[in-house]
Amino acid sequence: MIVGLQQLVESTHCSADLDVMCIYVKQNFLELCTPRSNYGIKGSLALYSCPVMQVDKDRFEQLRQGFIQIEQRLLKTENMFQEDVLVCATQMTFLDFFDIHAAQNGLANISFQDTDIITRFMQMLERGDYVKNREVGYYADKLCVTPKYLSEICKSVSGKTANYWISRFTTIHIRRLLRERKMSFTQISDLFEFSSPAYFSRFVQKHLGVSPTNFRE
């Protein structure tokens, strides 16, 4: 499982036989380790939809060995080239994940220009622009493309439109706020600048399948 945003994980239940190895990568180190492949954006978008990747025993063992290699290199602080070695080990693991995803979903030919546009679009969503801006036109204007072109790129890369991704980030955030119970429905509605509490309620009903009141109950 690869989780890029903390808010994607809301509730976990562990079985008694669960065995886990976790690696946390900070953003600046992640940028150093990202392979020079424009395939990464397709994999990233897929993980936003579902962060779990199904793998067979051989693939699992390959990834496990990659994680162990990173762990061992991390402990070897006496190595004068530790950071470079860690970058190589982490990048190799990333490429293994790319290979698994490509085998399951096909290897798409994505131009570097489109990759840059989608990457910047997702960065705007990650920083929370959707709280105040949920129109595709806002993002298209910032990216210097038309709303139609932005949606076409999103559709070709992820199978989902730009509007889908805006709504998904918004829904995840609202669902988290409803679960936390720290804010009233009116406060959440005002935060996201819905035109009225009634419109906010309709949005929740459409995207979560229940009213805000029923969701909290």
Side-chain angles (χ1 to χ4, degrees), residues 7-26:
Q7 64 186 36
L8 285 175
V9 179
E10 298 176 310
S11 178
T12 58
H13 301 279
C14 302
S15 60
D17 61 346
L18 180 66
D19 187 14
V20 176
M21 177 182 287
C22 298
I23 291 181
Y24 173 76
V25 185
K26 291 185 177 181

Side-chain angles (χ1 to χ4, degrees), residues 99-143:
D99 182 52
I100 292 169
H101 186 271
Q104 295 174 350
N105 299 278
L107 186 60
N109 183 21
I110 308 167
S111 71
F112 283 100
Q113 178 182 347
D114 288 352
T115 297
D116 179 64
I117 290 172
I118 293 296
T119 299
R120 288 189 287 141
F121 173 54
M122 298 307 291
Q123 286 173 345
M124 285 190 282
L125 292 176
E126 288 177 351
R127 75 187 183 200
D129 284 25
Y130 59 86
V131 174
K132 306 294 183 184
N133 303 281
R134 288 183 293 280
E135 298 295 328
V136 176
Y138 165 83
Y139 299 91
D141 182 62
K142 295 290 184 182
L143 296 168

